[in-house]
Amino acid sequence: MTLTGRLAFITGAGSGIGRSTCRILARDGAFIVAADKNKKNADETINAVSKEFKQKHISLELDVGNSSSIDEALGKILKEYGKPPTIIVNCAGILRDNFILKLSEEDFDEVLKTNLKGTFLIVQKCANAIIEHGINNASIINLGSIIGKYGNIGQVNYAASKAGVERLTRTASLELANKGIRLNSVLPGFIMTPMFQAVPDKVKTKFMSKIPMGRCGEPEEIAEVIAFLAGDKSSYITGTSIEVTGGF
Ligand SMILES: NC(=O)c1ccc[n+]([C@@H]2O[C@H](COP(=O)([O-])OP(=O)(O)OC[C@H]3O[C@@H](n4cnc5c(N)ncnc54)[C@H](O)[C@@H]3O)[C@@H](O)[C@H]2O)c1
């Protein structure tokens, strides 16, 4: 198992890609800390993972947009495991779609706060904890989106947040490479999760017609790429983005 003994901290772990990532990383031997704003859903993730892979996995309530909530979560992890996580996966994310002429300032701020600032805070606080503990082999994986690269009608806030995540990841990778911390982004296309299922059918049909592989992705197909980036098989990869889009 490629991740035996590693401690993995996954945000947005109560649903979709985050939940699948918990399962796949546990399958590969990691201890899982599943964190989500929705604690009940994070608990469900951990119950399922613990049934299948009998190691010490825990769930936490966490708001990635809130600095003290992250400090509290990291404090609990250190108390429980005596060390910081060395695999960090930022899956927490939200949509608040609208056309630019109608988008409220509140919905713009909320998306930037969760998707971009949340990623910044988790990266900064986890990297500091890793360095303070003298660890020099860690991997941080941030969820961007193919929309951050090409844009999409009705998603100025989301596209801007995800473009920001990609550039943040690249820049942090330059600063942290000599500390043994690798950072990469995964850019999913259209993946069958509650987030995508909430998109109106008309829009879904339009997207589907543009996917060369003719189908949406499954969350496990993102999680497998995350597992590759988390482990030593990708030991010379940092600062890059991997598109997982069925060719979109
Ligand atoms: N599904 C797709 O098609 C797709 C495509 C591209 C990128 N992504 C990205 O992948 C990531 C996961 O998406 P998903 O489809 O699994 O979404 P999802 O809606 O199924 O899951 C997102 C999870 O994040 C949690 N969350 C939201 N705000 C939070 C906060 N402030 N603090 C902590 N947790 C919070 C939610 O409770 C939820 O459990 C997101 O960043 C999303 O933008 C998804």
Side-chain angles (χ1 to χ4, degrees):
M1 288 200 285
T2 49
L3 302 177
T4 301
R6 300 284 299 273
L7 179 59
F9 179 34
I10 297 104
T11 75
S15 176
I17 294 169
R19 177 171 279 178
S20 277
T21 299
C22 291
R23 189 185 165 270
I24 298 292
L25 298 186
R27 177 203 68 189
D28 289 352
F31 300 102
I32 304 298
V33 178
D36 203 290
K37 204 170 180 175
N38 186 326
K39 173 74 161 63
K40 191 171 150 276
N41 287 353
D43 288 346
E44 276 175 23
T45 298
I46 284 305
N47 289 342
V49 167
S50 300
K51 231 184 217 170
E52 213 179 340
F53 309 103
K54 299 188 189 330
Q55 295 217 65
K56 187 178 179 184
H57 308 296
I58 62 169
S59 55
L60 293 175
E61 186 170 349
L62 169 76
D63 177 358
V64 296
N66 180 321
S67 197
S68 46
S69 169
I70 301 173
D71 290 338
E72 207 177 301
L74 275 176
K76 283 184 188 155
I77 296 172
L78 288 172
K79 196 167 162 213
E80 196 74 28
Y81 293 93
K83 59 183 181 184
T86 59
I87 297 169
I88 295 105
V89 190
N90 281 298
C91 291
I94 58 168
L95 295 173
R96 295 282 185 275
D97 292 354
N98 213 332
F99 299 114
I100 191 165
L101 296 179
K102 293 182 179 166
L103 183 68
S104 69
E105 193 174 335
E106 192 189 7
D107 283 348
F108 184 87
D109 285 347
E110 200 54 38
V111 167
L112 269 287
K113 184 175 168 192
T114 302
N115 298 4
L116 182 55
K117 184 182 167 192
T119 302
F120 158 67
L121 289 173
I122 295 276
V123 168
Q124 185 188 59
K125 288 173 188 293
C126 289
N128 271 318
I130 288 164
I131 293 163
E132 275 161 24
H133 279 75
I135 297 166
N136 64 358
N137 180 22
S139 177
I140 301 179
I141 298 110
N142 296 329
L143 270 290
S145 166
I146 200 66
I147 300 299
K149 212 162 182 178
Y150 300 116
N152 188 33
I153 288 173
Q155 294 197 308
V156 275
N157 50 356
Y158 185 76
S161 73
K162 292 300 187 178
V165 165
E166 206 186 341
R167 293 277 66 82
L168 179 153
T169 305
R170 171 74 189 155
T171 304
S173 78
L174 302 175
E175 296 182 17
L176 297 172
N178 66 359
K179 310 249 185 291
I181 304 176
R182 298 186 293 114
L183 291 99
N184 294 289
S185 311
V186 174
L187 312 184
F190 302 101
I191 312 302
M192 273 301 170
T193 68
M195 179 183 275
F196 185 61
Q197 277 148 5
V199 170
D201 283 344
K202 211 171 76 182
V203 182
K204 271 192 219 141
T205 311
K206 198 183 100 198
F207 284 142
M208 293 289 267
S209 69
K210 291 184 180 167
I211 303 173
M213 285 182 70
R215 65 171 179 87
C216 286
E218 296 298 328
E220 294 73 24
E221 293 175 294
I222 304 298
E224 292 288 2
V225 177
I226 292 171
F228 165 70
L229 289 171
D232 290 340
K233 284 186 182 170
S234 61
S235 54
Y236 199 50
I237 300 181
T238 195
T240 198
S241 307
I242 301 185
E243 295 181 12
V244 191
T245 65
F248 177 83

